[in-house]
Amino acid sequence: MYTGKVTVQYRKGILDPQAQAVHSAVKSLGYNSVKDVEQRKEFCLKLDCENKEQAKNQLEEICQKLLANPAIEDYQFTVEEE
Amino acid sequence: MYTGKVTVQYRKGILDPQAQAVHSAVKSLGYNSVKDVEQRKEFCLKLDCENKEQAKNQLEEICQKLLANPAIEDYQFTVEEE
């Protein structure tokens, strides 16, 4: 069994309205020390693959097809054997 | 300037409908090797605080008041000086 950890975030230069909303909310609570907020999604998948190479290939495909929108998002992932 | 990294995830035993939806979508694409999917939110905040202790205290408050719902979510965070 392999564990894949995927991080998905907006590409540099793409505005993230959710992170902006969090930043506004933080400031409205009085925390003016907060100068920037970024938000990412993290996915943790358990893969029952025959070897690490297969797990990596499948995870790469899943990222491209489903977890990230390559037009506006970047992703990184790691795969570890359990 | 300090960088705070916060990870928010559902508490153990709380069903995560979004992760379940991702798992269903992954399986419907034919990836039956995927046995489990978990999803987390990650926030990265820049804090202009006088010292690390102050940054940690503010981040703890922000997590409790805004970033996590303590009834159903757990959070962890780290603070590093830049």
Side-chain angles (χ1 to χ4, degrees):
Chain A
M1 193 76 95
Y2 295 86
T3 301
K5 285 199 179 169
V6 181
T7 306
V8 179
Q9 62 193 113
Y10 279 93
R11 284 173 183 272
K12 282 209 181 300
I14 306 279
L15 282 179
D16 180 349
Q18 207 174 347
Q20 286 185 320
V22 171
H23 196 182
S24 298
V26 167
K27 283 194 285 191
S28 75
L29 286 175
Y31 297 101
N32 295 310
S33 58
V34 177
K35 299 305 177 197
D36 187 46
V37 177
E38 287 178 16
Q39 191 172 351
R40 304 187 183 106
K41 285 178 283 187
E42 201 178 282
F43 299 93
C44 182
L45 288 82
K46 302 283 181 201
L47 295 125
D48 187 12
C49 290
E50 279 172 24
N51 55 58
K52 195 168 177 174
E53 201 56 31
Q54 192 191 36
K56 277 187 175 179
N57 290 341
Q58 289 206 353
L59 200 52
E60 177 79 42
E61 289 176 21
I62 291 168
C63 285
Q64 290 191 8
K65 289 183 186 171
L66 190 74
L67 301 183
N69 176 353
I72 56 168
E73 291 173 325
D74 278 328
Y75 62 87
Q76 298 88 40
F77 67 83
T78 59
V79 172
E80 299 297 335
E81 190 166 5
E82 275 195 8
Chain B
M1 194 75 96
Y2 294 86
T3 301
K5 285 198 179 169
V6 181
T7 306
V8 179
Q9 62 194 112
Y10 279 92
R11 285 173 182 272
K12 281 211 182 300
I14 306 280
L15 282 179
D16 180 349
Q18 207 174 347
Q20 286 184 321
V22 171
H23 195 181
S24 298
V26 166
K27 283 194 287 189
S28 75
L29 287 174
Y31 298 102
N32 295 310
S33 58
V34 177
K35 300 306 178 194
D36 187 48
V37 177
E38 287 178 16
Q39 191 171 350
R40 304 186 184 106
K41 285 179 283 187
E42 202 178 280
F43 300 93
C44 182
L45 288 83
K46 302 282 182 202
L47 295 126
D48 187 12
C49 290
E50 281 174 21
N51 55 57
K52 196 168 177 175
E53 201 56 32
Q54 192 190 38
K56 278 187 177 180
N57 290 341
Q58 289 206 353
L59 199 52
E60 177 78 43
E61 289 177 20
I62 291 168
C63 285
Q64 290 191 7
K65 288 183 187 170
L66 190 74
L67 301 183
N69 176 352
I72 56 168
E73 290 174 325
D74 279 327
Y75 62 88
Q76 297 88 40
F77 67 83
T78 58
V79 173
E80 298 296 335
E81 190 166 5
E82 274 196 9

